[in-house]
Amino acid sequence: MNKKKWIITAAIVVLLGGGGYFGYSYLNATPSAGEEPEMEPPSFPTATVERGEVKKTIFAGGTVAAKDREEVKPEAAGKIEKLLVSEGQTVKKGDTLFTIDSTDDLLSVQKQELAITRAQKELSEIKDKKDRINADKPGKVTQVLVKDGQTVAEDDVVAKVLDTDSLKIVGKFTAYEVEQFHVGQNVKVFMTASLVYLDGTITKIDMTGSKGKLSDGAHDVEVVVKKQGALYPGDKGVVQYTNEKGVLFASQSASEFTLPEEEEIKAGTNGTVDEVLIEKDDVVKKGQMIVKMDVTAAELDLKDKELSLKESLLALEQKKREIAKKRVEAPISGVITKLNVKEGETISGGEAVAIIMDTSSVYFMAAVDEIDIPAIQVGQAVEVYVTAFGNRPFQGKVVEVPKEGTKEDKAVRFEVKVELSESSEMKHGMTGDCDIFIEQKDNVLRLPLNAVEVMEEGKGNVMVKNPENGEPMPKEVEIGVEGADFIEITGGLQEGDEVLMMGGM
């Protein structure tokens, strides 16, 4: 019998005992006709006022709950592709329980990634568009090949220029000699008429060559010379080069200076021409702006492409999140106590497919009435009686007092969490009740609870022997803490005094 049942039984005994006493009093006051012998008053057991502890408790029913319990409810729907766990298996938080088929999602991700790559390339091309076209070489403009409003591509030629500050000369060399040269190399040009040397730079080398008077053929080496003094087209010279060993290489014969070829200036960007800034016969410098580009359309296109790219990136992220949802992981560490899925089955999103419980420890969840909840505080001692273990008390303490209650029928209950010091034998869902000790006094005068009739707060009555005739008589006493088994006596009785237990023990 647990504590709750013991209290109820004791109350019944008190009522029955009291009824016996009052029956006796009535019979003694009204003797039966013809009955002469006087009956002696019955004797009652006594209780002695003693010193000890008094504990005031709040009684509450409740259930045993695992330390943590989670229902696994996948957000995604689909067919179970691979089941990695079984019922009764211990898992850690983050372990993969099963995967849901995500083939279509992976294909969508690949398509989205391709679209993003494309959008990034287009965006890069727009950003590379320039607001101007600059001359990448100096000279006199011989042709202007674009006009206002015209659309140009990167490799389109917008103008041609002639370098009027330079002349070129082509020297012929043998196959062996031509191997001594490279484009950009500095050489000398000997002027046959004035017997002077001019500095030149190799701009082109013909490595193929052509068959000439010499058996091994001739190869053209083109050299550009800056105009100095009285140097004109038609003047003749010999191209010469002396290597580090002092060996002289000279062209086979003197050749004439000519004007260099026209050079092309390309757009180097895509877009629409806003304004052409040069005309034929203008002289331009290297780096000079020759065409102004219209960037209005490019700016609008840029914003549009940036927005499209952001949308594509967001869509990709969403797809990846959807794929992540299809890898279902354990939300807590514990034991899989229930598993409702099989490999190959199709599940709906939000459906509970498994239960994981952390059974490393359990709590007792006490349903405390709203009237009693103000007296409950964290840290209070508790004795728990689980139905499965009879009168065996389990020690615990209050670790959590809720701020909200739950309405049950017409009453409101608050689920108080009690941590147990010993819980290895308990299982989730077991029922029981508990005493929560809300007040305790040590080394105080006390009497058994059923020896005192509580009249009002701080006052009670006990039955004592009348010193004149030995019959029971009431005596008023002052009381303090009302415990589950004892009640504190604060006045009216001394240690060692005896009172009558009118209802028996």
Side-chain angles (χ1 to χ4, degrees):
M1 177 185 305
N2 64 22
K3 198 158 195 179
K4 179 179 180 182
K5 294 176 182 177
W6 186 90
I7 293 173
I8 293 171
T9 303
I12 293 171
V13 171
V14 169
L15 290 173
L16 291 175
Y21 167 71
F22 288 113
Y24 160 77
S25 300
Y26 174 78
L27 291 173
N28 190 46
T30 313
S32 301
E35 187 176 340
E36 294 182 359
E38 184 178 338
M39 294 180 64
E40 293 189 8
S43 61
F44 296 95
T46 61
T48 304
V49 177
E50 63 179 5
R51 286 193 174 275
E53 66 176 13
V54 178
K55 295 180 178 179
K56 184 176 182 178
T57 63
I58 287 176
F59 175 82
T63 57
V64 174
K67 181 179 180 181
D68 203 355
R69 179 181 183 274
E70 286 283 347
E71 290 185 348
V72 180
K73 297 181 179 180
E75 296 180 53
K79 185 173 73 174
I80 302 298
E81 183 180 49
K82 196 168 184 181
L83 184 62
L84 303 172
V85 294
S86 58
E87 202 165 287
Q89 183 175 334
T90 299
V91 295
K92 293 181 180 179
K93 182 178 180 180
D95 284 353
T96 301
L97 305 178
F98 57 87
T99 58
I100 301 171
D101 184 22
S102 58
T103 305
D104 292 341
D105 295 305
L106 289 170
L107 183 59
S108 296
V109 165
Q110 290 175 351
K111 289 181 178 178
Q112 201 65 48
E113 286 176 338
L114 183 60
I116 288 171
T117 301
R118 219 179 266 122
Q120 288 173 331
K121 182 182 178 182
E122 290 174 354
L123 189 61
S124 178
E125 289 174 352
I126 294 171
K127 287 182 177 179
D128 286 342
K129 287 184 177 180
K130 301 173 184 176
D131 63 351
R132 65 187 65 192
I133 298 173
N134 294 333
D136 57 358
K137 47 187 69 72
K140 182 179 181 180
V141 177
T142 58
Q143 294 183 66
V144 178
L145 302 174
V146 292
K147 58 184 178 181
D148 295 356
Q150 182 178 335
T151 300
V152 296
E154 190 171 349
D155 290 330
D156 287 349
V157 178
V158 297
K160 290 184 179 181
V161 295
L162 180 65
D163 185 3
T164 56
D165 292 331
S166 302
L167 293 176
K168 75 173 184 179
I169 186 171
V170 176
K172 295 185 178 294
F173 293 85
T174 64
Y176 167 74
E177 292 172 330
V178 82
E179 290 180 355
Q180 310 301 313
F181 302 111
H182 60 83
V183 173
Q185 182 176 343
N186 294 323
V187 294
K188 296 288 186 180
V189 178
F190 176 69
M191 303 298 296
T192 55
S194 59
L195 304 179
V196 296
Y197 287 91
L198 301 177
D199 292 325
T201 303
I202 297 176
T203 55
K204 189 185 297 183
I205 300 175
D206 174 21
M207 300 302 295
T208 304
S210 59
K211 196 71 174 177
K213 294 179 180 179
L214 298 178
S215 59
D216 59 351
H219 297 260
D220 291 343
V221 175
E222 183 180 290
V223 176
V224 172
V225 177
K226 288 294 181 183
K227 290 178 67 175
Q228 302 176 24
L231 180 62
Y232 301 97
D235 289 346
K236 291 185 176 182
V238 177
V239 178
Q240 296 182 356
Y241 168 67
T242 303
N243 67 13
E244 295 177 352
K245 295 181 180 180
V247 178
L248 175 66
F249 299 92
S251 56
Q252 297 172 4
S253 60
S255 53
E256 292 183 352
F257 282 95
T258 61
L259 290 171
E261 297 174 358
E262 290 180 329
E263 295 188 87
E264 298 176 341
I265 297 177
K266 294 184 178 182
T269 188
N270 301 309
T272 303
V273 174
D274 182 43
E275 184 182 0
V276 178
L277 305 175
I278 56 171
E279 295 179 353
K280 185 180 178 181
D281 294 331
D282 284 352
V283 176
V284 297
K285 295 180 180 179
K286 185 175 181 179
Q288 178 180 332
M289 182 168 70
I290 59 175
V291 175
K292 183 180 178 183
M293 300 297 292
D294 183 2
V295 294
T296 305
E299 289 174 352
L300 292 174
D301 200 18
L302 177 64
K303 290 180 180 178
D304 182 59
K305 293 297 182 184
E306 286 177 337
L307 181 60
S308 296
L309 179 59
K310 285 181 181 178
E311 290 175 348
S312 296
L313 289 170
L314 286 173
L316 177 63
E317 190 61 32
Q318 179 63 31
K319 284 293 179 185
K320 287 183 177 180
R321 281 199 295 266
E322 288 175 7
I323 291 175
K325 290 176 184 177
K326 293 189 175 182
R327 179 176 289 276
V328 181
E329 299 177 345
I332 61 170
S333 298
V335 177
I336 298 175
T337 58
K338 199 167 186 179
L339 189 62
N340 297 327
V341 291
K342 293 180 181 177
E343 208 165 275
E345 286 184 348
T346 300
I347 61 171
S348 303
E351 174 186 350
V353 298
I355 295 175
I356 301 176
M357 282 200 289
D358 181 354
T359 56
S360 59
S361 62
V362 296
Y363 295 98
F364 186 77
M365 308 305 293
V368 177
D369 190 274
E370 61 180 316
I371 296 174
D372 297 324
I373 198 68
I376 306 298
Q377 295 180 6
V378 171
Q380 289 172 336
V382 184
E383 280 187 356
V384 176
Y385 297 85
V386 177
T387 305
F389 301 105
N391 277 341
R392 177 182 170 186
F394 291 87
Q395 304 303 314
K397 65 177 180 179
V398 175
V399 292
E400 186 178 312
V401 180
K403 296 186 180 298
E404 294 184 12
T406 303
K407 192 169 185 180
E408 299 176 6
D409 296 328
K410 294 182 180 180
V412 177
R413 299 279 188 271
F414 288 80
E415 200 170 53
V416 175
K417 183 183 283 189
V418 177
E419 185 181 57
L420 300 169
S421 57
E422 181 187 354
S423 60
S424 58
E425 300 175 71
M426 297 185 192
K427 305 296 182 185
H428 178 85
M430 286 183 170
T431 61
D433 50 49
C434 69
D435 288 323
I436 303 173
F437 299 98
I438 60 172
E439 189 175 356
Q440 178 175 337
K441 285 192 175 181
D442 297 320
N443 196 30
V444 296
L445 296 180
R446 68 179 187 178
L447 279 172
L449 185 64
N450 58 342
V452 181
E453 180 184 6
V454 178
M455 305 302 293
E456 58 183 81
E457 187 175 355
K459 292 184 181 296
N461 278 338
V462 296
M463 299 301 289
V464 297
K465 287 184 180 181
N466 189 324
E468 295 179 1
N469 53 23
E471 293 185 358
M473 60 175 283
K475 180 180 178 63
E476 185 177 295
V477 293
E478 295 176 6
I479 58 175
V481 177
E482 298 174 44
D485 301 315
F486 296 94
I487 187 166
E488 180 188 8
I489 305 299
T490 59
L493 292 172
Q494 301 294 324
E495 185 176 359
D497 288 350
E498 290 187 345
V499 300
L500 301 176
M501 302 290 289
M502 301 305 297
M505 291 296 289

